[in-house]
């Protein structure tokens, strides 16, 4: 393993202390963010199996549940373990739990309705990799690492457990989701070290990449429209595209099928910044920002109280699209 790979860290607890809290807790609820992506889902499932293996090794009785307050993306049909993830609405709260752990949530809004479950837990832990993390739990651990998939891998050693094929596959899912299959600049030497370990444990890179990067006909139609109707400001290297609720219905797009739009726009030659703005059911706008070296989208997203990473960030706002464009242009 590469020594001292750790990047920008904030929080008030170490992973070892988190492991100790997990050891002591008799009941644990795990959550990840709404609009769950491959990293949220992969890391939470990997972590679930790791806690289970740890409990078995230590001979501990532990109740572990996973709740996500949202629908799962279509590709999860390929993983039977999706059954372990309860939607908030079907989750039965049986009294107070000892520990609430969020993964991949930069702020508490990202819990969605699961925030109600947090209130019923004695202690809360936030483990995340977004530099914009607001340290929203009792115990916080934030590392500037490519993905939660890569972050949770460290618990193999801390828990003293063996890396199973299942854990490896789910960590791999998280890593390729958040690195765009190793294309983004958040990939480090350590990412590849971890992936080598995951492949040794049986993770099938080809199978997992095919599952999450497969494209539905609906998504193909959307991407066609993005390529045709994106607007480019060549001087600033800024490309943007707006998707209305009306279009979402016309294209028959399901949850998660608009993922990747900001990424494909940034691939256009000469582009430094991309914005994908999607109108939500409630009329607000969700923005996804991606950039190359010239800009910092964590800062740009913060204009709208959003955030994320330097090269990938998001926000949600009540402002009309024209106003969003104006505010962003002023920053460039
Ligand atoms: Mn992530």
């Amino acid at each position: 393993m590469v020594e001292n790979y750790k990047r920008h860290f904030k929080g008030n607890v170490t992973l070892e202390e988190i492991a100790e809290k997990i050891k002591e807790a008799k009941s644990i609820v795990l959550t990840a963010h709404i609009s769950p992506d491959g990293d949220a889902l992969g890391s939470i499932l990997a972590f679930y199996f790791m806690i289970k293996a740890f409990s078995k090794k230590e001979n501990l009785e532990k109740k572990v549940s996973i709740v996500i307050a949202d629908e799962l993306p279509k590709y999860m049909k390929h993983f039977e373990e999706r059954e372990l993830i309860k939607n908030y609405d079907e989750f039965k709260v049986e009294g107070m739990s000892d520990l609430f752990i969020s993964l991949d949530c930069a702020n508490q809004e990202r819990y969605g309705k699961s925030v109600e479950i947090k209130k019923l837990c004695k202690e809360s832990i936030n483990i995340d990799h977004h530099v914009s993390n607001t340290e929203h739990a009792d115990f916080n651990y934030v590392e500037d690492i490519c993905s939660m998939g890569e972050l949770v891998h460290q618990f193999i050693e801390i828990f003293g457990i063996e890396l199973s094929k299942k854990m490896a596959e789910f960590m791999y899912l998280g890593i390729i989701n958040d690195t765009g299959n190793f294309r983004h600049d958040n990939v480090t030497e350590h990412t590849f070290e971890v992936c080598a370990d995951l492949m040794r444990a049986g993770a099938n890179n080809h199978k997992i990449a095919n599952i999450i990067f497969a494209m539905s006909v609906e998504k193909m139609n959307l991407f066609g429209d993005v390529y045709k109707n994106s607007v480019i400001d060549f001087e600033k290297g800024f490309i943007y595209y707006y998707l209305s609720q009306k279009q979402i219905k016309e294209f028959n797009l399901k949850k998660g099928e608009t993922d990747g739009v900001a990424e494909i726009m940034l691939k256009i030659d000469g582009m430094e910044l991309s914005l994908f703005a999607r109108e939500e059911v409630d009329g607000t706008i969700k923005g996804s920002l991606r950039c190359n070296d010239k800009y910092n989208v964590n800062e740009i997203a913060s204009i709208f109280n959003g955030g994320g990473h330097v090269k990938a960030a998001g926000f949600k706002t009540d402002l009309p699209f024209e106003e969003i464009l104006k505010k962003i242009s002023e920053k460039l």
Side-chain angles (χ1 to χ4, degrees), residues 30-67:
L30 302 173
T31 198
H33 60 79
I34 46 172
S35 298
D37 58 14
D39 190 38
L41 297 163
S43 63
I44 210 161
L45 284 164
F47 202 44
Y48 171 90
F49 289 115
M50 290 161 88
I51 295 174
K52 284 282 176 189
F54 179 51
S55 309
K56 198 171 167 202
K57 183 196 122 198
E58 301 281 327
N59 255 322
L60 299 166
E61 280 288 327
K62 218 175 278 296
K63 188 175 184 295
V64 189
S65 332
I66 310 177
V67 187

Side-chain angles (χ1 to χ4, degrees), residues 32-45 68 70-76 79 85 103-105 110 128-130 146-149 170 173-180 212-213 255-257 259-260 263 286 290 309 312:
H33 60 79
I34 46 172
S35 298
D37 58 14
D39 190 38
L41 297 163
S43 63
I44 210 161
L45 284 164
I68 293 182
D70 212 340
E71 278 171 51
L72 304 187
K74 263 196 218 161
Y75 60 74
M76 285 306 284
F79 300 101
I85 304 172
L103 300 185
D104 211 23
C105 294
R110 301 288 282 150
D128 188 31
H129 73 120
H130 294 91
C146 82
S147 59
M148 285 304 298
F170 285 120
L173 174 68
I175 293 171
I176 61 170
N177 183 89
D178 275 19
T179 60
I212 72 154
F213 297 119
K255 199 100 202 169
E257 278 185 317
D259 287 358
E263 278 89 357
K286 191 171 178 285
R290 300 291 182 274
H309 310 284

Side-chain angles (χ1 to χ4, degrees), residues 64 92 99 129 252 281 287 293 298 309 325 329:
V64 189
K92 287 176 201 64
L99 203 54
H129 73 120
N252 193 21
V281 187
D293 296 324
N298 187 44
H309 310 284
L325 281 182
S329 296

Side-chain angles (χ1 to χ4, degrees), residues 16 20 29 43 97 129 142 153 155 161 167 182 201 254 259:
E16 287 74 13
E20 207 46 50
V29 182
S43 63
S97 288
H129 73 120
V142 185
H153 179 266
F155 280 99
I161 53 171
M167 295 170 197
F182 308 104
K254 298 277 173 313
D259 287 358

Side-chain angles (χ1 to χ4, degrees), residues 148-185:
M148 285 304 298
E150 184 177 337
L151 197 159
V152 297
H153 179 266
Q154 297 167 80
F155 280 99
I156 292 294
E157 211 182 309
I158 297 168
F159 284 156
I161 53 171
E162 208 169 306
L163 175 64
S164 71
K165 184 179 174 200
K166 231 182 245 186
M167 295 170 197
E169 290 204 316
F170 285 120
M171 285 179 216
Y172 195 82
L173 174 68
I175 293 171
I176 61 170
N177 183 89
D178 275 19
T179 60
N181 218 5
F182 308 104
R183 286 190 76 241
H184 303 334
D185 93 325

